[in-house]
Amino acid sequence: MLTLALVVVLAPFGGFLLQSAFGRRLPRQGDWLTIATIGASFAASCALLAKVLGGETLDPAVVAGARFDWLRFGDVVWRVGVKVDGLTAVMLFVVTLVAFLVHVFSSAYMKGDPKYWKFFAWLQMFSTSMLVLVLADNLLVLFIGWELVGLCSYKLIGFWSEKAAPGNAARKAFITTRIGDLGMVAALMLVYAQTKSFAFEDMFRAATTGSLDSQTCTWASLGLLFAAMGKSAQFPLHVWLPDAMEGPTPVSALIHAATMVAAGVYLVGRCYPLFTDASLLVVAAVGGVTAVMAGLIALAQDDIKKVLAYSTVSQLGFMFLGLGCKAWHAALFHLTTHAFFKALMFLGSGSVIHACHHEQDMRRMGGLWRKMPITGTTFFVGVLAIAGFPFVTAGFYSKDAILAGAWHMHPALAWVGLGAAVLTAFYMFRLFAMTFLGKPKDEHVFEHAHESPLPMTLPLVVLGVLSVVAGWDLVGWHTKLLEPTAAAVTSAGSVHGHEHSEVVMTLAIVAGLFGLVAGFVLFAKTSPARVAALKRPFAALERAFARKFGFDELYRELVLRPAYTLAKILSWADAEGVDGAVNGIGRTARSASRGSGWADAKVVDGAVRGTGAAVLAGGGGLSRLQSGRFRTYVAAGVVVVATVLVVLSF
Amino acid sequence: MTALGALLPSILLTAGVLAVLFADAAAKGRRPLLLPWISGTALVAVAAVAVAWLAGDRLGDRVVLGALRMDAFTAVLTLFCAVAGLVSILATLVGDGNSRPGGEFHALVLCAVVGMSVLAAAVDMVTLYLAFELVSITGYVLVGMRRADRLANEAAMKYVLFGAVSSGLMVYGLSLLFGLAGGTSLEALRAAVVSGASSQPVFVAAVVLVFAGFAFKVSAAPFHFWAPDVYQGAPTAVAGFLSVASKAAGFAGLVRVVLALGAQPATAKEPIASFLPWGSPVAAVLAVAAVLTMTVGNLAACRQKDLKRLLAYSSIAHAGYMLMALAVWTPNAMSALVFYLVTYLFMNLAAFLFAGIVVRATGSSSIDSLHGLGFRNPWLAAAFTLVMLSLTGIPPMLGFLGKLVLFESVLREGWVWFAVIGLLNGAISLYYYALPLRRMYLEGVAEGAPPVRLAPGAAVLAAVLVLPVVAFFLWWSPLADWARTVVPSLRIGS
Amino acid sequence: MGSNLLTLTFLIPLAGSLLVLLVPKESAGRACRWVNLLTSLATFGATLAVWSGWSKHTGGGYALVEDAAWIKAFSIRYHLGVDGVSVALLLLTSFVSLGGSLASWNIEKSPKGYHSMFLLLLGGMIGVFMALDMFLFYLFWEIMLLPMYFLIGIWGGPRRQYAAIKFFLYTLAGSVLMLAAIVLIWIKHGTFQIPEIVALVKAHGGLFGEGAEGLRIACFIAFFVAFAIKVPSFPFHTWLPDAHVEAPTPISMILAGVLLKMGGYGLIRMAYPFFPTAAATLGTTIVVISLISIVYAAFVAMAQTDFKKLVAYSSVSHMGFVTLGLASLTPEGHNGAMYMMLAHGTISPMLFMIVGVIYERAHHRDLDRFGGLAWAMPTYGVLAAFGIFASLGLPALSGFIAEITVFLGSFQSFPRLTLVATVGMVVTAAYYLITLQKVYLGDTPAVYRDKAHYPDVSRRELLVLVPLAIVTLWMGILPDGAMSIYRGDLEGILEGVKAIAGKP
């Protein structure tokens, strides 16, 4: 198993190295090479999955060679290794599969880009980093992978940073997630200070045996949550993800929908034993607020990718809600299904954008289903899945499980979730309708639209199938993979992911269908003029949604501008104050020298000047000594002696 | 040792003086090349005698003729002044022929060294005063020797007048001491002080008056005013000679007097807390003079635009450092003083040598005349740089060692603040010692400036002076030990 | 060789320095740089030999010791020796200087003087890291001062005079304090030998005897300020931006790469082991100073428009980790501090070289006038991004290991203050990414598209940058390699400090 795990992570890393070194000179700029390496990684992941299904796990505490000494301080050894359990296996499968499909998709989508080879290199590096994150058996290495995916995200969002917008978006993403990372560092420090270890098993043992007191656990888990909020774009650190859509669409599908942004959920899920009831409540609150807020914003977006981005934020909020409600299994389950259908829709949108010559505004699309049957159909599957179309789609099962968990925790939480579910179904159908249904709004765009080539449609089909079947417990991947892990990471009695409640299920079905039908009625069956009229009373609200509740402006005024101002002030203070103080000492010394130089300037120099003047005036001889100055300085000596004498004799 | 033996240096030098005068007269106005050979031989002979005294340990520490104490201290100072005289004579030779001085120069230098060697040995007040005056008067003439130079004449006249006032004060103070001691011998004075004469008010007055005279000689504040004018006006070689030999002789005399005045080593009880040992008026006067002198010298030096005036103020500041050792008055401090004098001999003579070379080549003693010297004559500039750094006290230069030893002796007695003032002064001095460096290196190459050449003779002399400045840190154990051999002869604390 | 290896190691550059002076004037430029390069190579080789010699040494303490009487009157000894800490820094010194030597290739002005000073500086730096006699240490410490003064003052930028004087005065002020403390120790205990003094501390629980805590604190402060000026810590840092901005590229590399490390080395070798109790008493103060250095300097860096000044302030910020880690008195903190010295010692020269590369072509460093260089000079862009990410603490590169270990160590002693320090991570990321974007990304102005004036990095420049990058990467992935050199000895020092300071 260890070998397989190493193949999973090292294959794309090798791909990255080869691709960055030789990619440009290879035939087809090396895309086949990277597809092969990520394919190998996928194959290895499948093999691992099979092994885990067969009941095997890779526990570094047991398996020799799965862990090695990385660093040591005093008596403490930092050991790092590879851990494979049910959760890992599922994550590996999802990550490598989506990554593989995105590679294939990109080989068509990115064709002709001057930095084609580089794109694949960074995709490989991203896959490597993400796999490091997933395979880590300790928090520190997880953090390393965590930061590296951040780097790759930066590089890939800013892939077209010749233009200003992608550069800004990339920077915003990196810095915002870095703010979240402070939480991770704080958690690392808190846990390490007490346990002297980062290994998950040591941390969890300390947490369960109580050697890590519950207050520390709460703070540490809140730190982890904060990090997860940054990476998974949860309120209030969600602002970077919509901007990140400046990156190439395959990147959005891979990183900003299916894998990296889900890492926050994975982190919370992985470190679940550290979370106390108090911190779980915060998790649930963050998730609930995010799910609804992002859903509302998504209602008013016209850029196809922006809608998907906010939908991602909302769905991630959903997962956090589930985690907070102790529906661990449901949240991770939703992570998986979401990865499939959101990747599907992003790639679908990529296909659309590709077809429409990089047009992303939905207001200029419409009626594309006829032109792009495969894209349209698979996209529709995706919409149904995310809306939770009952009994068929994967989304239904995972969402239902989360709502059930929330209901069990507190019905209010479930109502929040239901509200978000309605919104989701509604805006997703709005998106679908605006893009694929109705009449073309821009004939020019419509004229040129065409179905995408096979490398692009094939991934769509695969993901479409998965968006449906992932909900069914086909190979027993619920019962054999997630549930045992869930039992392991959550304390007994708190797992209630599959306590299906009839009420909740009914409500969920109603919510999803209501949203879909409402969307259908409003956007497919009603004339635009009528829609506009209907919307008029809600204009203020819509404006607020469209402006994303003003978070960007808020941050600009409350964080960025003060930070810059502070920097300017401190820089000024450094030059004038701190340095000034030093220069001031110099100045004082100089003026002291001026003061003491009085004798020099007035008495001695004066004497010299005076005598010089006298020489010029009266000619040679002793006349110069009558200048008067000379007497001053002889007198100075005598006066001093006299003074000292007087002082001393008393 | 016989009286003749004790007077051997004086006899040799006087013979040298006569020989020089005869040779000069015989040459009838032409400048015979013989003169430097004669004076040089005399000085070398004196140095050899001093070395023999030291090496053979044949001094026996005794007083001859009731006036001269022949001890290691005398020998060391005699050697010191002879070397300084020799270097000054050589310094006048290495320039171009036109500026070579006449016979009177050589005669005067020899006379001055006679005075200095006697001053270092004098244990009788009259002898002391006579030697003091001999050194002073030869100094006045040396400064004004260039009769055609107005600046030199002016400087000489100032020197004379200032010297006259100081020696007037001093002789008055000595006469008061004579009254207290009932004799002219310093031994008698010491006995009187020990038996309680120091409690009389007139004693303090006498001390202050005598110190005024010495303050003039070593250019300590507030009797330092003459130094900048005189060093600026005098020929550079003479300025160097005065700043080194005359100052050292002054310190020697001061040491004899302080010893007689019954100074006790000042050891602070509480480290850090104590600033000055107010217990002894002698130490108090010396300490105040030290602080005043180094501070005034360093601060005023910062404002100089003339290289020779800068060096003058620098030498005032160095007098201040040396006075610290006298104020502390422990065996360690005394050996530090001797050590410091030796370091000062090399670096100050070298500094004046280089100043002279630059002045001669550019015709100006302004610091600006150094502009771009680092590129015009890299070797000269480099050597000058090293000497300046040594004067600042930057390791590994010799000047650093001098300061290290000196401050160590101060710190050892717990006078932390005294040492801190000294260290602060050292930091200030960096500012003005760096000025020439900036001119030489940092301000680029001066276009059209006259070339500054280093004659072979000058190069050799420079090397002889600069090499110890640079290389001494490698092995200064012998010097440190040697400086200690002087200490027992001073019988401190006995 | 054996016993004289250390002497040889510092004599090689000194000999090279003299050799440069003997080069005839006509061929000065070419010959001098070759002498410099070969001497630097030889020195690097010698430090490698020291490394291997040290690693064969068993039984703790110092290896390759050379101890001879020198100035008997003051019991000063010619005492050299190395432990792991010294070896690590020696390797860094000669490695960075090798890069600096290559970067000095096109010095046109007075090449003889330049290369001679360069090698003299190298000799001084090497000496500092092997001296076990405080007098000798001080001597080497000051020997570096002069070449640096001239290297900045003669070969520097427009305000070089001001910068050189400032550098000189600052460092001299610091070293005067250090000297006072050294002399006080000598007066009291009659020895300049570092191992002897450490043994005294161990035996008597502190220097100066019972009840002299005030004096111990005063001496510790004197040492600390002397070294904090070199590190440099707030508020003694203001010489650094000026010195860096004016210094020529290779000198900036050495200044940042090696000279700043002397401060940390002094703290490790002398200040902490000599005065453990004072160090513990002043722990919080030192942490606050470090914290200000980290956060404050990061903010100040953000406001800079001069690329080099920005990197200079980032040095102040990063070196704050060194004092932070040391103050924690934990194994993680100390090892991390030392690791930061090595990491910063390779990353910051790289960044200064990166600035130098573009300065040489554009003759300005104004961040607002650059743009899109990553497209105009692709290889250069990649290396610059590498350097920038290394400096902002990206995992898998050495800076990350240093930062995280320091944080983990200092959190154990000063949890709240350490949390404040983590803010520096974000600010650092912000200003570096802004810089990256301003200079390397975005649209390329037409000026920089001119291939003739803006060629991509040359082979020589690659030869400087790539080895530094490789070391950074290696130290980031397998940190134990570098850390194991010094860990044992450093933790030994820490044990000694803790045993007296009484801190858990």
Side-chain angles (χ1 to χ4, degrees):
Chain A
M1 269 186 104
L2 182 61
T3 322
L4 280 174
L6 290 177
V7 169
V8 168
V9 66
L10 290 180
F13 185 60
F16 166 71
L17 293 179
L18 290 172
Q19 180 70 2
S20 12
F22 311 111
R24 198 208 300 248
R25 273 160 280 171
L26 289 175
R28 286 182 56 91
Q29 300 204 3
D31 58 358
W32 52 271
L33 173 78
T34 59
I35 291 171
T37 52
I38 196 70
S41 181
F42 175 58
S45 296
C46 290
L48 272 178
L49 190 74
K51 291 214 171 196
V52 177
L53 280 172
E56 264 184 90
T57 54
L58 180 61
D59 186 350
V62 181
V63 178
R67 186 181 269 180
F68 73 104
D69 296 358
W70 193 45
L71 266 178
R72 59 177 72 235
F73 300 98
D75 310 327
V76 183
V77 182
W78 291 10
R79 311 186 69 197
V80 297
V82 179
K83 180 186 175 80
V84 179
D85 61 2
L87 177 59
T88 319
V90 172
M91 286 298 291
L92 289 180
F93 178 77
V94 172
V95 170
T96 50
L97 173 62
V98 177
F100 175 69
L101 294 176
V102 165
H103 273 78
V104 173
F105 185 89
S106 304
S107 67
Y109 187 84
M110 296 299 286
K111 197 152 224 103
D113 193 281
K115 289 179 289 180
Y116 186 77
W117 61 279
K118 222 176 200 177
F119 184 77
F120 283 93
W122 280 107
L123 281 186
Q124 293 275 296
M125 186 61 207
F126 170 78
S127 312
T128 312
S129 314
M130 190 67 204
L131 294 165
V132 165
L133 189 161
V134 172
L135 280 167
D137 77 326
N138 65 80
L139 198 51
L140 185 66
V141 175
L142 187 150
F143 181 50
I144 291 174
W146 184 267
E147 290 278 288
L148 288 177
V149 291
L151 169 77
C152 301
S153 162
Y154 173 86
K155 284 283 180 190
L156 286 166
I157 295 172
F159 189 70
W160 289 315
S161 53
E162 299 93 326
K163 287 176 287 179
N168 289 335
R171 191 176 83 203
K172 187 174 178 181
F174 194 90
I175 294 173
T176 314
T177 50
R178 187 112 174 156
I179 291 174
D181 294 346
L182 296 187
M184 177 84 99
V185 173
L188 279 170
M189 296 192 297
L190 271 164
V191 172
Y192 180 78
Q194 300 214 6
T195 62
K196 298 278 180 181
S197 170
F198 304 110
F200 291 130
E201 75 234 28
D202 295 337
M203 283 164 45
F204 301 161
R205 198 183 309 117
T208 46
T209 57
S211 63
L212 207 59
D213 61 281
S214 73
Q215 205 189 350
T216 312
C217 280
T218 304
W219 284 113
S221 56
L222 286 179
L224 291 176
L225 172 66
F226 193 61
M229 282 157 65
K231 212 47 129 195
S232 294
Q234 295 297 289
F235 168 83
L237 297 179
H238 64 279
V239 288
W240 66 269
L241 184 57
D243 288 28
M245 297 302 128
E246 290 291 345
T249 308
V251 169
S252 308
L254 176 62
I255 301 181
H256 304 115
T259 57
M260 184 188 85
V261 290
V265 180
Y266 171 78
L267 174 72
V268 176
R270 179 52 91 193
C271 299
Y272 214 62
L274 287 179
F275 283 74
T276 57
D277 286 351
S279 46
L280 283 179
L281 197 62
V282 181
V283 176
V286 167
V289 170
T290 311
V292 175
M293 176 209 68
L296 288 174
I297 296 176
L299 285 179
Q301 301 300 317
D302 292 323
D303 182 319
I304 185 168
K305 283 180 74 181
K306 285 271 162 74
V307 178
L308 289 173
Y310 277 106
S311 143
T312 306
V313 174
S314 174
Q315 292 297 306
L316 291 165
F318 229 87
M319 295 172 212
F320 277 90
L321 180 66
L323 286 169
C325 296
K326 300 195 181 175
W328 186 95
H329 159 250
L332 272 301
F333 179 23
H334 195 58
L335 186 161
T336 325
T337 58
H338 174 259
F340 295 139
F341 57 69
K342 192 48 73 56
L344 162 63
M345 285 191 283
F346 260 114
L347 291 182
S349 76
S351 175
V352 170
I353 292 165
H354 188 255
C356 300
H357 295 277
H358 294 273
E359 179 55 62
Q360 294 185 201
D361 192 335
M362 297 189 297
R363 285 169 301 187
R364 303 181 63 187
M365 297 173 180
L368 288 173
W369 201 338
R370 271 168 289 158
K371 285 260 186 161
M372 310 173 68
I374 303 174
T375 307
T377 311
T378 50
F379 205 103
F380 190 64
V381 171
V383 170
L384 291 181
I386 197 171
F389 192 78
F391 305 117
V392 185
T393 61
F396 167 73
Y397 291 101
S398 54
K399 197 177 273 189
D400 175 54
I402 287 180
L403 289 171
W407 186 267
H408 187 268
M409 192 78 172
H410 195 285
L413 289 170
W415 285 111
V416 171
L418 285 166
V422 175
L423 287 172
T424 307
F426 183 68
Y427 66 70
M428 283 315 300
F429 200 84
R430 170 176 175 264
L431 182 153
F432 185 75
M434 285 176 83
T435 312
F436 290 101
L437 305 180
K439 289 192 197 69
K441 280 147 209 132
D442 187 323
E443 283 303 329
H444 180 70
V445 169
F446 186 74
E447 284 289 302
H448 287 83
H450 54 85
E451 182 56 281
S452 299
L454 187 64
M456 285 167 75
T457 49
L458 192 65
L460 294 178
V461 173
V462 173
L463 287 168
V465 171
L466 280 167
S467 299
V468 176
V469 302
W472 314 338
D473 191 9
L474 272 184
V475 285
W477 71 274
H478 287 159
T479 44
K480 289 187 184 158
L481 294 178
L482 286 178
E483 282 168 19
T485 322
V489 299
T490 53
S491 47
S494 68
V495 185
H496 41 67
H498 53 284
E499 287 175 24
H500 284 285
S501 149
E502 302 298 325
V503 187
V504 181
M505 196 190 281
T506 318
L507 284 172
I509 293 168
V510 171
L513 288 179
F514 174 74
L516 281 175
V517 171
F520 179 72
V521 171
L522 207 57
F523 297 108
K525 288 293 159 198
T526 319
S527 71
R530 179 120 182 81
V531 173
L534 278 173
K535 279 202 295 194
R536 201 156 300 128
F538 308 104
L541 269 180
E542 198 192 4
R543 229 181 358 263
F545 299 160
R547 285 175 52 195
K548 306 151 193 175
F549 294 119
F551 274 105
D552 285 336
E553 291 77 8
L554 200 71
Y555 284 141
R556 194 165 63 229
E557 294 305 321
L558 288 186
V559 181
L560 297 183
R561 207 182 290 270
Y564 274 116
T565 316
L566 182 65
K568 288 246 155 54
I569 291 172
L570 289 183
S571 170
W572 176 84
D574 198 62
E576 302 299 323
V578 183
D579 201 21
V582 177
N583 289 342
I585 295 171
R587 262 198 299 280
T588 318
R590 264 212 299 282
S591 51
S593 84
R594 204 172 299 137
S596 100
W598 174 86
D600 184 62
K602 296 291 170 194
V603 181
V604 182
D605 275 359
V608 174
R609 269 200 301 279
T611 45
V615 167
L616 288 176
L622 294 176
S623 63
R624 72 191 66 154
L625 298 172
Q626 291 157 4
S627 66
R629 302 281 196 170
F630 189 79
R631 263 177 273 152
T632 330
Y633 90 57
V634 173
V638 178
V639 166
V640 167
V641 172
T643 319
V644 173
L645 280 177
V646 170
V647 169
L648 287 181
S649 43
F650 283 103
Chain B
M1 176 183 285
T2 61
L4 200 65
L7 291 174
L8 196 54
S10 304
I11 293 167
L12 284 170
L13 289 166
T14 314
V17 170
L18 294 173
V20 164
L21 290 178
F22 280 124
D24 199 30
K28 293 195 182 77
R30 284 176 290 121
R31 291 169 183 227
L33 290 170
L34 200 60
L35 295 182
W37 283 106
I38 296 169
S39 56
T41 311
L43 288 168
V44 168
V46 169
V49 168
V51 168
W53 282 349
L54 282 171
D57 200 20
R58 277 181 292 161
L59 269 74
D61 189 10
R62 48 173 293 208
V63 178
V64 291
L65 306 171
L68 300 175
R69 175 177 287 282
M70 302 314 297
D71 57 11
F73 188 69
T74 307
V76 165
L77 265 294
T78 306
L79 173 62
F80 187 90
C81 295
V83 170
L86 190 62
V87 171
S88 302
I89 284 174
L90 291 175
T92 60
L93 290 179
V94 295
D96 50 84
N98 296 335
S99 65
R100 280 191 190 157
E104 67 276 23
F105 170 78
H106 296 277
L108 286 165
V109 169
L110 295 183
C111 279
V113 176
V114 171
M116 290 163 184
S117 71
V118 174
L119 186 57
V123 288
D124 178 273
M125 285 189 245
V126 176
T127 318
L128 186 91
Y129 181 68
L130 284 176
F132 187 91
E133 284 299 298
L134 182 56
V135 175
S136 296
I137 290 164
T138 48
Y140 306 150
V141 185
L142 276 170
V143 169
M145 208 172 50
R146 286 193 308 209
R147 288 177 292 262
D149 186 332
R150 281 179 183 170
L151 213 58
N153 278 323
E154 184 192 321
M157 199 48 74
K158 281 176 185 164
Y159 197 23
V160 169
L161 287 178
F162 215 89
V165 173
S166 309
S167 67
L169 295 174
M170 183 181 175
V171 80
Y172 183 45
L174 286 176
S175 68
L176 292 177
L177 291 178
F178 168 70
L180 285 171
T184 57
S185 151
L186 288 178
E187 277 300 319
L189 178 60
R190 186 180 169 88
V193 169
V194 169
S195 60
S198 62
S199 57
Q200 298 187 36
V202 71
F203 173 76
V204 177
V207 167
V208 172
L209 288 169
V210 170
F211 279 4
F214 281 109
F216 160 75
K217 191 94 280 176
V218 303
S219 69
F223 295 87
H224 65 283
F225 292 113
W226 59 271
D229 288 353
V230 168
Y231 289 179
Q232 188 184 20
T236 319
V238 171
F241 178 62
L242 289 180
S243 76
V244 173
S246 179
K247 188 168 285 186
F251 269 106
L254 196 54
V255 165
R256 296 286 183 202
V257 172
V258 170
L259 184 64
L261 292 176
Q264 291 299 318
T267 302
K269 297 278 178 298
E270 289 289 316
I272 298 181
S274 69
F275 171 44
L276 292 172
W278 287 111
S280 141
V282 177
V285 170
L286 286 168
V288 170
V291 169
L292 202 63
T293 305
M294 66 174 96
T295 310
V296 164
N298 279 323
L299 287 179
C302 292
R303 303 192 59 76
Q304 299 311 314
K305 295 179 178 61
D306 183 285
L307 188 56
K308 283 163 81 179
R309 289 184 76 84
L310 185 140
L311 288 176
Y313 278 109
S314 129
S315 83
I316 292 170
H318 282 279
Y321 300 136
M322 290 186 254
L323 280 171
M324 285 173 88
L326 276 175
V328 174
W329 195 253
T330 56
N332 258 327
M334 285 302 104
S335 73
L337 175 66
V338 172
F339 193 99
Y340 200 96
L341 275 171
V342 173
T343 68
Y344 180 73
L345 170 90
F346 285 105
M347 59 194 185
N348 219 39
L349 284 176
F352 275 99
L353 174 70
F354 293 136
I357 290 168
V358 171
V359 170
R360 206 173 293 147
T362 63
S364 153
S365 63
S366 159
I367 297 177
D368 293 332
S369 61
L370 293 172
H371 193 91
L373 190 66
F375 307 97
R376 281 147 69 196
N377 190 336
W379 286 102
L380 177 63
F384 200 10
T385 302
L386 293 174
V387 168
M388 282 294 163
L389 294 170
S390 179
L391 283 167
T392 324
I394 287 178
M397 262 47 95
L398 190 53
F400 163 70
L401 299 178
K403 280 213 173 72
L404 177 76
V405 170
L406 186 67
F407 286 121
E408 187 273 324
S409 76
V410 175
L411 276 173
R412 179 173 286 278
E413 306 312 320
W415 292 24
V416 173
W417 292 115
F418 202 25
V420 165
I421 290 177
L423 288 171
L424 280 178
N425 264 287
I428 295 172
S429 72
L430 176 67
Y431 175 78
Y432 64 83
Y433 286 125
L435 282 179
L437 308 194
R438 276 169 79 165
R439 291 283 182 286
M440 288 193 290
Y441 290 104
L442 305 197
E443 290 168 359
V445 187
E447 297 297 336
V452 180
R453 268 190 283 277
L454 197 59
V460 171
L461 183 58
V464 168
L465 290 174
V466 173
L467 213 61
V469 166
V470 182
F472 222 94
F473 81 97
L474 288 175
W475 189 248
W476 47 288
S477 230
L479 183 60
D481 292 336
W482 181 75
R484 279 186 189 178
T485 59
V486 175
V487 175
S489 67
L490 295 175
R491 292 166 303 151
I492 290 165
S494 66
Chain C
M1 310 237 286
S3 63
N4 290 327
L5 186 57
L6 295 186
T7 306
L8 187 73
T9 308
F10 84 78
L11 280 182
I12 289 174
L14 294 188
S17 174
L18 292 177
L19 191 62
V20 167
L21 294 178
L22 299 179
V23 168
K25 208 152 203 159
E26 307 82 65
S27 59
R30 276 177 59 84
C32 288
R33 64 197 188 201
W34 276 106
V35 173
N36 185 344
L37 182 63
L38 292 176
T39 312
S40 298
L41 258 175
T43 312
F44 184 56
T47 53
L48 288 178
V50 170
W51 184 17
S52 91
W54 165 82
S55 56
K56 283 182 202 118
H57 170 82
T58 50
Y62 294 93
L64 303 171
V65 172
E66 294 170 39
D67 190 3
W70 181 17
I71 311 299
K72 287 208 188 74
F74 282 78
S75 62
I76 293 168
R77 303 185 67 80
Y78 178 76
H79 192 177
L80 300 175
V82 289
D83 65 355
V85 178
S86 323
V87 168
L89 288 167
L90 281 173
L91 288 170
L92 175 75
T93 305
S94 57
F95 180 65
V96 171
S97 299
L98 198 53
S101 170
L102 271 171
S104 309
W105 213 244
N106 36 18
I107 293 286
E108 302 287 345
K109 183 176 175 183
S110 319
K112 278 172 76 166
Y114 176 88
H115 292 285
S116 176
M117 287 292 155
F118 185 99
L119 292 171
L120 186 60
L121 178 69
L122 177 57
M125 296 188 299
I126 298 235
V128 164
F129 290 131
M130 47 175 69
L132 290 183
D133 178 288
M134 288 194 292
F135 181 82
L136 194 58
F137 177 90
Y138 185 77
L139 222 53
F140 280 124
W141 180 276
E142 295 288 302
I143 285 178
M144 301 173 326
L145 192 58
L146 292 173
M148 207 60 190
Y149 171 77
F150 286 116
L151 286 168
I152 296 174
I154 299 179
W155 289 274
R159 291 177 73 230
R160 56 180 184 266
Q161 286 195 43
Y162 173 74
I165 291 275
K166 200 167 176 181
F167 166 80
F168 202 68
L169 285 177
Y170 253 106
T171 356
L172 196 74
S175 55
V176 162
L177 282 174
M178 170 167 53
L179 181 65
I182 289 176
V183 170
L184 271 177
I185 293 175
W186 182 73
I187 287 172
K188 190 71 189 172
H189 296 287
T191 177
F192 282 110
Q193 314 311 309
I194 291 172
E196 269 182 48
I197 295 167
V198 172
L200 275 171
V201 174
K202 258 192 195 121
H204 303 294
L207 295 179
F208 303 134
E210 290 287 317
E213 190 61 21
L215 193 56
R216 280 196 284 270
I217 287 183
C219 275
F220 178 77
I221 290 175
F223 270 123
F224 185 81
V225 171
F227 296 132
I229 286 175
K230 265 272 176 357
V231 165
S233 288
F234 176 91
F236 310 111
H237 64 280
T238 58
W239 64 269
L240 183 86
D242 287 309
H244 267 315
V245 166
E246 300 308 326
T249 301
I251 301 310
S252 283
M253 290 170 69
I254 288 178
L255 191 59
V258 185
L259 253 74
L260 305 190
K261 310 301 170 292
M262 309 240 154
Y265 178 75
L267 290 172
I268 291 172
R269 176 68 76 229
M270 291 156 80
Y272 272 82
F274 289 1
F275 305 103
T277 49
T281 313
L282 295 173
T284 312
T285 316
I286 297 171
V287 171
V288 170
I289 287 175
S290 323
L291 216 154
I292 297 176
S293 300
I294 293 171
V295 180
Y296 170 92
F299 270 110
V300 176
M302 196 146 100
Q304 300 308 317
T305 51
D306 183 325
F307 200 169
K308 214 169 175 188
K309 211 161 189 172
L310 180 137
V311 179
Y313 273 109
S314 92
S315 282
V316 178
S317 181
H318 283 119
M319 292 304 284
F321 283 93
V322 174
T323 43
L324 180 67
L326 291 178
S328 74
L329 296 182
T330 55
E332 291 87 353
H334 272 230
N335 281 311
M338 182 71 192
Y339 208 74
M340 181 49 104
M341 302 218 284
L342 299 179
H344 181 261
T346 42
I347 295 170
S348 64
M350 195 178 163
L351 282 175
F352 278 113
M353 184 65 195
I354 282 162
V355 177
V357 165
I358 192 61
Y359 183 65
E360 202 176 291
R361 290 162 174 71
H363 305 291
H364 74 87
R365 295 182 299 255
D366 189 347
L367 290 173
D368 296 326
R369 285 165 61 194
F370 289 120
L373 292 180
W375 328 125
M377 300 157 68
T379 314
Y380 173 60
V382 168
L383 286 165
F386 183 93
I388 282 174
F389 276 105
S391 192
L392 68 74
L394 191 82
L397 302 175
S398 54
F400 169 78
I401 307 289
E403 285 185 22
I404 197 82
T405 45
V406 167
F407 276 145
L408 289 169
S410 77
F411 185 83
Q412 296 172 33
S413 305
F414 303 94
R416 270 150 222 242
L417 291 171
T418 305
L419 281 179
V420 179
T422 55
V423 174
M425 283 173 58
V426 174
V427 186
T428 305
Y431 70 72
Y432 266 133
L433 292 188
I434 293 170
T435 309
L436 186 64
Q437 207 182 345
K438 273 184 182 170
V439 180
Y440 299 99
L441 308 180
D443 193 30
T444 317
V447 204
Y448 304 117
R449 293 194 187 153
D450 176 4
K451 278 278 166 222
H453 291 98
Y454 291 90
D456 209 342
V457 278
S458 69
R459 242 178 241 160
R460 179 179 58 81
E461 287 161 340
L462 273 179
L463 213 53
V464 178
L465 289 168
V466 170
L468 288 167
I470 290 172
V471 170
T472 305
L473 192 63
W474 169 67
M475 281 176 60
I477 294 173
L478 293 171
D480 202 50
M483 210 176 269
S484 61
I485 297 177
Y486 64 78
R487 186 177 46 227
D489 290 306
L490 188 63
E491 287 179 356
I493 292 170
L494 176 66
E495 285 306 311
V497 171
K498 282 205 299 194
I500 310 262
K503 267 205 131 175

